[in-house]
Amino acid sequence: MMNYVFVEEMSEDELLARFLPLLPQASGAVVPSGDDCAVLPMSDGRVAISTDMLVEGVHFRRDWSTGRDVGWRAAMQNIADAVAMGARPVSLVIGLELPGRLPVSWVEDFARGLADACAPLGCGVDGGDLVSGDRVTIGVTVLGDLEGRDPLLRRSAQPGEALIHVGNLGRSAAGYELLRRGFSPQVGNYANQETLLIDDFRRPKPPVIQALGAARAGELSAFIDVSDGLVRDATRLAKASKVWVDIDTAVLEPAMHALLPVARHLGRSDPVDWAYRCVLTGGEDHGFLGTLNRPHVRAWGMRTPVLPEGFTRIGTIREAHAAGRVTLDGKDVVGLGGWDHFAPSAGAD
């Protein structure tokens, strides 16, 4: 039997001493963690800032995800927000509410998950706060450097532009459903499809390098992180830009077909419908949706436009629309939403 050391057995300083050494620091930090504030350099003085929360029992379950998984998720969903603005993620600041009977080893694993996500991107974890409470609650603030560029906005889409996407679609939703139905991932080097999908739910994989490359090359107009499902986030982009967004579902077929074996394994009565719904409405993939910053005549000539690396064209901005409109193959979307934290059915059931 493993002998755990619990959070309630340590002072705040003792607990910090256990996990702070596991965290990466922002490159060139003027004042790192350990003072009242960290002080960080920014190349042009403009900082993109966003805050997100993860609550145990709502966004994650400790019987489904390790501390390392939760640390990865906490980092990546905030990093994706910064990148969606075209900003290079520089630093995370993290607040933690921790139950007294939580093993300290879980907190250390959480720190390792943060480092797994942040260190390869040169992003630091440079401060935060600890409090005691009834369940694990995580607040993360990301600071991003715009590197002299204007921020990418949801409201910048123009009629005639190509609608483009990079990243996973529907895989996190499928992984969540597998866990909800009692499936367990395989252990070892022979991961099956179910195991890979569960991993994509536990550890979303935003394509940060491709998105930042497109931003730095000036190839994007409007841009948004797809965290709440393709249709819901396309609707946000359409409303902000006051345009009609038309999605070509034929282009989504590879993502849908990849989920069909799982749909059948789950015993879904209509596997194709279930797979399409995952692709169109599944949240937590943290891919990116945007429009190609090219004039209509260059984007739609006799040749297919050259897209940023890793991106796929999945539709078109058809025309201006005061209220914002999203269609699938020209037909209005009916009965398809996406993840909504305040919907009655939301939660890590």
Side-chain angles (χ1 to χ4, degrees), residues 13-153:
D13 287 342
E14 290 171 333
L15 187 56
L16 286 169
R18 290 286 288 267
F19 74 83
L20 281 181
L22 304 173
L23 301 174
Q25 289 183 359
S27 176
V30 178
V31 179
S33 293
D35 221 301
D36 288 315
C37 286
V39 179
L40 309 172
M42 295 289 171
S43 60
D44 75 342
R46 293 186 300 170
V47 183
I49 303 174
S50 181
T51 296
D52 214 342
M53 299 285 295
L54 291 91
V55 179
E56 182 180 1
V58 177
H59 303 101
F60 68 91
R61 286 171 39 167
R62 281 192 279 139
D63 59 333
W64 283 2
S65 299
T66 66
R68 202 158 187 161
D69 293 331
V70 178
W72 174 283
R73 171 183 286 274
M76 280 303 189
Q77 68 183 42
N78 285 273
I79 285 170
D81 283 336
V83 173
M85 301 297 293
R88 175 179 62 85
V90 171
S91 179
L92 303 181
V93 179
I94 297 178
L96 292 173
E97 175 189 338
L98 302 174
R101 295 301 292 172
L102 182 72
V104 171
S105 59
W106 192 95
V107 185
E108 292 172 328
D109 276 346
F110 174 80
R112 292 186 181 98
L114 292 171
D116 290 343
C118 293
L121 301 173
C123 181
V125 182
D126 298 292
D129 192 24
L130 297 177
V131 297
S132 62
D134 296 329
R135 58 179 172 177
V136 179
T137 302
I138 305 159
V140 182
T141 298
V142 62
L143 306 176
D145 186 351
L146 286 163
E147 301 178 318
R149 297 181 297 276
D150 290 331
L152 296 172
L153 305 175

Side-chain angles (χ1 to χ4, degrees), residues 93-224:
V93 179
I94 297 178
L96 292 173
E97 175 189 338
L98 302 174
R101 295 301 292 172
L102 182 72
V104 171
S105 59
W106 192 95
V107 185
E108 292 172 328
D109 276 346
F110 174 80
R112 292 186 181 98
L114 292 171
D116 290 343
C118 293
L121 301 173
C123 181
V125 182
D126 298 292
D129 192 24
L130 297 177
V131 297
S132 62
D134 296 329
R135 58 179 172 177
V136 179
T137 302
I138 305 159
V140 182
T141 298
V142 62
L143 306 176
D145 186 351
L146 286 163
E147 301 178 318
R149 297 181 297 276
D150 290 331
L152 296 172
L153 305 175
R154 301 177 183 185
R155 65 171 182 258
S156 301
Q158 298 294 321
E161 290 181 333
L163 184 72
I164 57 177
H165 176 271
V166 62
N168 290 332
L169 282 171
R171 294 183 62 85
S172 182
Y176 166 78
E177 182 64 15
L178 286 164
L179 284 171
R180 196 181 71 83
R181 293 281 294 275
F183 285 78
S184 297
Q186 288 185 345
V187 178
N189 297 325
Y190 301 99
N192 59 12
Q193 176 71 345
E194 285 84 0
T195 299
L196 295 173
L197 292 170
I198 289 171
D199 184 67
D200 284 335
F201 167 73
R202 289 171 166 173
R203 294 188 172 213
K205 299 168 180 65
V208 170
I209 301 302
Q210 294 94 325
L212 278 178
R216 286 166 172 157
E219 296 180 289
L220 303 169
S221 290
F223 211 44
I224 187 171

